[in-house]
Amino acid sequence: MKRVASIGTAVAGAVCAAVLAAAPASAAIPSGVFCTGMTCVNSTSVPQLVNGTAVCPTGHSLPVNALIEPLGVRVIGVVCPNGAQPMGLSF
């Protein structure tokens, strides 16, 4: 009986982790928006909001929210606490 309970707990934990991991990614980059480095491109005809995290070389993370105009390109300007540029964006 303990074996069944621990398997059930493990499966429930895995399902919860998968749901939590998938939710921010789908909400962070809207369909039609592509980002590389600190630059994002909106290939749609409507403004898009990108939510993510700038990853600094020192290990710090900074929240990033950027509005990208329709059919536009935006370089997301963020400066890390030590004055360095972020290594990239994480979603």
Side-chain angles (χ1 to χ4, degrees):
M1 189 65 176
K2 286 183 181 181
R3 186 176 187 183
V4 172
S6 56
I7 291 173
T9 302
V11 170
V15 169
C16 289
V19 168
L20 290 175
S26 63
I29 301 179
S31 178
V33 175
F34 308 95
C35 297
T36 180
M38 296 300 292
T39 303
C40 293
V41 177
N42 179 3
S43 65
T44 70
S45 60
V46 295
Q48 299 288 346
L49 181 62
V50 173
N51 299 308
T53 304
V55 180
C56 298
T58 58
H60 288 92
S61 297
L62 303 171
V64 174
N65 298 310
L67 179 66
I68 305 171
E69 295 298 326
L71 304 173
V73 176
R74 175 135 183 216
V75 176
I76 300 172
V78 177
V79 179
C80 295
N82 67 350
Q85 293 295 319
M87 298 184 304
L89 294 174
S90 173
F91 301 98

